[in-house]
Amino acid sequence: GEDSRSFHVSIQAPLSIVSIGETYSITAVAGGQLILECPEDAVPPPHIEWRRERSPLQEDARRQVLAGGRFLQIRALGAADGGEYSCRATNALGDTSLRVQVEVHG
């Protein structure tokens, strides 16, 4: 059999993306908006969990998980929003994860 995976990271902010192994490195501008996308083309649809610095992400007025977990939106980026973000998509057939290292520059 065959197995293939594709990851799509969608970002709305001036930035640069560098792929380091399975971790993406993103540089974003303070005050902007960042949208991260987790792969979700699995059948059955997976359960998606977002983490920040390896702890479950806490949503608030600026950080929201949208579309059943597929997107993580962070508004009004600040230096404190930098760090490692990851999503894990799990269904009956297995799981996959994506890690993104975010740096915020003023």
Side-chain angles (χ1 to χ4, degrees), residues 6-11 24 36-39 70-71 98:
S6 65
F7 295 109
H8 179 70
V9 178
S10 174
I11 295 128
Y24 288 91
L36 303 176
E37 183 176 352
C38 200
R70 184 169 181 183
F71 298 100
L98 172 69

Side-chain angles (χ1 to χ4, degrees), residues 38-103:
C38 200
E40 199 224 63
D41 52 4
V43 178
H47 166 75
I48 298 176
E49 179 185 40
W50 284 93
R51 299 174 90 78
R52 180 169 184 270
E53 300 295 343
R54 303 178 189 226
S55 297
L57 182 87
Q58 300 298 314
E59 290 186 73
D60 56 31
R62 293 186 315 105
R63 290 190 291 213
Q64 295 184 313
V65 175
L66 308 172
R70 184 169 181 183
F71 298 100
L72 170 62
Q73 178 185 58
I74 307 170
R75 290 187 290 226
L77 284 167
D81 292 313
E84 184 183 273
Y85 291 83
S86 62
C87 70
R88 183 172 179 178
T90 307
N91 70 9
L93 304 176
D95 64 75
T96 188
S97 62
L98 172 69
R99 288 190 304 276
V100 180
Q101 185 69 35
V102 175
E103 282 187 46

